[in-house]
């Protein structure tokens, strides 16, 4: 079946603007994760959703970052009042369950804040 | 907190040769999973191989195999018969229960024709 998809592929925005990044997980996957990959760095966890449970937001770097997941499927990551340090690749992953299941990644959204 | 360390920022290998990428991790848990992901220039993170900590047998996937040393908290990846398409960033990752993956900073592998 189809893999994890993300849109847009690339986003260029001006400092101070809000952006929304979208993730479509693999159908049937109940767990969804957002990670951030800054230039030359590894992946940094942001937030994850498991079914109808309250999301784990422990990785969000500031209150400018928020995410929601509608209907247990599509997720949107919103960054308000973007800063230059927000420039990074934002990766979404999904897994069948949140336990030991393998996470499958989307192609990412490259965000550039000018 | 768990940490994952990849001590080799860059590695290179001749085509058809074998290369080993190192990974160590720190945890007090006994049951967890370890992964190697590959990230080519396309940015797509691709699962290479995974290892369950409770299994003593090392995982293998075609040309890819791991050397899992639980007591030493070491999880190296061996790529045999290296191909040009193996050139990518390789990330080692740790996962325990309902927690997100913890990644190392990656190793950039170059394959020389």
């Amino acid at each position: 079946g189809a893999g994890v998809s993300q849109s847009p592929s690339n986003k260029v925005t001006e400092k101070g603007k809000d952006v929304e990044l979208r993730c479509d997980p693999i159908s049937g996957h109940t767990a969804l994760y957002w990670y951030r990959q800054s230039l030359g760095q590894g992946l940094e966890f942001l937030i994850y959703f498991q079914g109808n449970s309250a999301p784990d937001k422990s990785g969000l770097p500031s209150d400018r970052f928020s995410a929601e997941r509608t209907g247990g499927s599509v997720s949107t990551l919103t960054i308000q009042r973007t800063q230059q340090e927000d420039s990074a690749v934002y990766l979404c992953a999904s897994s069948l369950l949140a336990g030991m299941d393998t996470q499958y990644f989307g192609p990412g959204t490259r965000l550039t804040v000018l | 907190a768990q940490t994952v360390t990849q001590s080799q920022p860059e590695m290179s290998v001749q085509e058809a040769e074998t290369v080993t990428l190192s990974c160590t991790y720190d945890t007090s848990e006994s049951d967890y999973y370890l992964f190697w992901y590959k990230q080519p220039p396309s940015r797509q993170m691709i699962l290479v191989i995974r290892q369950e900590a409770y299994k003593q047998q090392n995982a293998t996937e075609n040309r890819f195999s791991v050397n899992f040393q639980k007591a030493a908290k070491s999880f190296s990846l061996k790529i045999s018969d290296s191909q040009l398409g193996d050139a990518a960033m390789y990330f080692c990752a740790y996962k325990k229960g309902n927690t997100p993956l913890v990644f190392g900073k990656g190793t950039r592998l170059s394959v020389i024709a």
Side-chain angles (χ1 to χ4, degrees), chain A residues 50-71:
Chain A
Q50 168 59 50
N52 295 321
S53 302
D56 178 349
K57 304 179 183 179
S58 61
L60 294 179
S62 77
D63 58 7
R64 297 186 295 105
F65 288 72
S66 63
E68 63 177 19
R69 188 178 185 191
T70 54

Side-chain angles (χ1 to χ4, degrees), chain B residues 64-83:
Chain B
F64 299 87
S65 62
V66 298
N67 183 6
F68 173 47
Q69 300 289 328
K70 191 172 183 179
K73 297 178 185 175
S74 171
F75 183 62
S76 60
L77 175 69
K78 184 171 82 171
I79 306 173
S80 304
D81 185 26
S82 297
Q83 302 175 359

Side-chain angles (χ1 to χ4, degrees), chain A residues 48 98-99 102-103 105 108, chain B residues 37 39 43-44 50 95 98 101:
Chain A
Y48 96 86
T102 297
Q103 293 180 24
F105 284 79
Chain B
Y37 280 90
Q39 187 181 42
R43 295 198 312 247
Q44 182 86 48
R50 80 177 203 172
K95 190 178 196 302
N98 292 341
L101 288 164

Side-chain angles (χ1 to χ4, degrees), chain A residues 9-10 33 35 37 40-43 45 48 56 89 91 98-110, chain B residues 31-33 35 37 39 42-47 50 89 91 95-106:
Chain A
S9 178
N10 292 282
Y33 303 79
Y35 296 89
Q37 185 177 24
Q41 298 296 311
L43 279 76
F45 162 71
Y48 96 86
D56 178 349
V89 174
L91 290 163
M100 298 301 194
D101 287 318
T102 297
Q103 293 180 24
Y104 296 91
F105 284 79
T109 294
R110 181 179 297 281
Chain B
D31 187 19
Y32 48 87
Y33 275 44
F35 302 83
Y37 280 90
Q39 187 181 42
S42 66
R43 295 198 312 247
Q44 182 86 48
M45 293 282 282
I46 301 165
L47 176 69
R50 80 177 203 172
M89 283 290 290
F91 291 95
K95 190 178 196 302
K96 165 66 181 176
N98 292 341
T99 62
L101 288 164
V102 177
F103 287 89
K105 292 194 178 298

Side-chain angles (χ1 to χ4, degrees), chain A:
Chain A
V4 178
S5 61
Q6 292 186 246
S7 61
S9 178
N10 292 282
K11 176 72 176 179
V12 179
T13 190
E14 293 180 348
K15 178 181 174 181
K17 295 287 180 70
D18 297 352
V19 296
E20 287 188 351
L21 312 180
R22 178 188 167 105
C23 172
D24 283 88
I26 293 173
S27 178
H29 279 194
T30 64
L32 186 149
Y33 303 79
W34 284 97
Y35 296 89
R36 178 169 71 175
Q37 185 177 24
S38 303
L39 185 64
Q41 298 296 311
L43 279 76
E44 169 192 18
F45 162 71
L46 296 176
I47 186 171
Y48 96 86
F49 299 86
Q50 168 59 50
N52 295 321
S53 302
D56 178 349
K57 304 179 183 179
S58 61
L60 294 179
S62 77
D63 58 7
R64 297 186 295 105
F65 288 72
S66 63
E68 63 177 19
R69 188 178 185 191
T70 54
S73 182
V74 172
S75 177
T76 302
L77 177 69
T78 301
I79 309 173
Q80 296 179 310
R81 306 181 301 282
T82 53
Q83 303 294 313
Q84 289 184 331
E85 61 262 30
D86 299 335
S87 296
V89 174
Y90 289 82
L91 290 163
C92 174
S94 71
S95 65
L96 191 60
L97 297 169
M100 298 301 194
D101 287 318
T102 297
Q103 293 180 24
Y104 296 91
F105 284 79
T109 294
R110 181 179 297 281
L111 175 66
T112 303
V113 182
L114 301 176

